[in-house]
Amino acid sequence: MTEATLTYREETSGDSLDAVSAALEQQRRAVIKAYWRTAFTCLLLLPLAFLPGFLVVSLMTEAQWTLSFPALASDLRTWLELHDQPVILASLGWIFVTLYLLGRYFRKYANQPRWNYVREFKTNLYAYLCRTRFPQLSYDYDGHIGWDEFEATGLFPYKTDWYLSEDYFSGRIGSTDISFCEAHAKRERRRWTGKGNSTYLETYFQGLVFCADFHKHFHSTTRLIPQGAKAKAKRGEQAVLFEDPEFNELFTTTSTDQTDVRYILSSSMLQRLVGLARRFPAMRARFHEEKLMLMLPTGRDLFEPSLYRRADSRAQLETLAEDISTVLPIVDELNLNTRIWSKQ
């Protein structure tokens, strides 16, 4: 069944949504054609990479085709026997160079157009969503939460060897400044393959990083880790136990100040965090410099348009809006808009 297309007439950067989405749909179709055309071209050219090696092996093993040119094959075989090492090195060099050039060709004419389409889609349609559905937010395609900032939380026990942060939203919900983005972190692992050790990258976090101005003044650092999980040890932090058994079952809490932490995490806040953890199992949190940072695992890519769905699909736009909608209730769930004392 064909998906319903967008019918709104909202303005986005001087152009109607219909006009922008129609242009994106044309770009999407061109990207798909370019992708398959480039893939087919690379497939046709791939045998060229192995042609020298095939000829060398054929001559040395007296393949069937050499019997049709016995004199030429014999001369070539003799020459190869005298120059076998340079020929083998040249053949290997030809393979690597050809594969490298094919990879560059595929990246330029297949992947780059796709990346350009995703950027145009997000820049235009997320701007539309923020203006019409989430006016309190703005979207920055190039914005992110930095690698160093992610590592500094110490919420995971691993050294990050690969990190990606994208799709940065920021704004003000009521009295609370917030920002959030998607993050993907991997660590290097080793495994035995039977031929020796090999390394690979293992994902240890994929989800949302949510930051907000906290509604209380405090000077300590407090971290919440899922019970049974590990995090980096931080100097000066001590374990904290609360009188809420449900919270203690969910989280291991550490803080640099046993008194301050009980001011930050009131009994009502403990219950609110328990409720949030039900929505985001394995959630981690840090309270630091009067700010709250949440690590919310999702296990999937968020805010990503599909190349195989129409750019003017209303269903796809609604799905992307739902991804944003899962984040904003956190402000109310944690009651972050309640200002305490002079915290404004």
Side-chain angles (χ1 to χ4, degrees), residues 175 213-218 260 262-264 266 290 335-344:
S175 303
D213 174 42
F214 200 59
H215 58 220
K216 296 180 179 179
H217 289 296
F218 62 90
D260 211 30
R262 286 170 170 79
Y263 167 66
I264 298 169
S266 63
E290 300 190 354
N335 199 25
L336 297 179
N337 276 324
T338 299
R339 304 286 101 177
I340 301 297
W341 303 109
S342 62
K343 184 75 172 178
Q344 299 293 332

Side-chain angles (χ1 to χ4, degrees), residues 34-46 105-106:
Y35 182 90
W36 290 111
R37 182 171 59 247
T38 304
F40 182 69
T41 301
C42 289
L43 190 62
L44 289 178
L45 295 176
L46 187 60
Y105 175 79
F106 189 84

Side-chain angles (χ1 to χ4, degrees), residues 6-44:
L6 297 167
T7 57
Y8 315 122
R9 289 288 177 178
E10 301 289 347
E11 294 297 314
T12 116
S13 303
D15 297 317
S16 72
L17 177 64
D18 286 345
V20 171
S21 58
L24 285 170
E25 175 59 17
Q26 290 183 342
Q27 184 180 0
R28 184 189 73 89
R29 291 171 179 266
V31 167
I32 292 175
K33 290 179 181 178
Y35 182 90
W36 290 111
R37 182 171 59 247
T38 304
F40 182 69
T41 301
C42 289
L43 190 62
L44 289 178

Side-chain angles (χ1 to χ4, degrees), residues 82-91:
L82 295 174
H83 305 86
D84 56 339
Q85 290 186 353
V87 169
I88 291 173
L89 291 175
S91 298

Side-chain angles (χ1 to χ4, degrees), residues 292-337:
L292 164 66
M293 178 180 282
L294 298 172
M295 301 287 185
L296 307 172
T298 61
R300 65 182 182 90
D301 284 335
L302 300 171
F303 317 121
E304 289 300 319
S306 171
L307 190 61
Y308 296 98
R309 297 181 72 178
R310 290 179 60 92
D312 55 2
S313 162
R314 181 170 184 173
Q316 177 169 226
L317 198 61
E318 287 299 321
T319 298
L320 298 174
E322 287 173 7
D323 286 343
I324 300 174
S325 297
T326 62
V327 185
L328 299 188
I330 292 174
V331 174
D332 290 330
E333 289 178 57
L334 298 184
N335 199 25
L336 297 179
N337 276 324

Side-chain angles (χ1 to χ4, degrees), residues 255-270:
S255 180
T256 57
D257 191 309
Q258 293 281 338
T259 302
D260 211 30
V261 67
R262 286 170 170 79
Y263 167 66
I264 298 169
L265 300 180
S266 63
S267 57
S268 61
M269 177 58 73
L270 296 180

Side-chain angles (χ1 to χ4, degrees), residues 272-285:
R272 292 176 185 277
L273 287 167
V274 168
L276 186 60
R278 292 195 184 103
R279 273 217 298 143
F280 297 97
M283 175 188 86
R284 299 175 187 234

Side-chain angles (χ1 to χ4, degrees), residues 150-189:
F150 182 89
E151 283 277 271
T153 65
L155 289 173
F156 297 93
Y158 316 115
K159 175 182 176 295
T160 305
D161 295 296
W162 183 93
Y163 177 76
L164 173 66
S165 174
E166 59 182 352
D167 297 324
Y168 185 84
F169 293 85
S170 61
R172 189 175 181 86
I173 308 298
S175 303
T176 305
D177 293 322
I178 70 165
S179 62
F180 60 91
C181 68
E182 187 175 20
H184 195 174
K186 300 181 180 183
R187 61 171 177 148
E188 188 176 276
R189 300 293 305 274

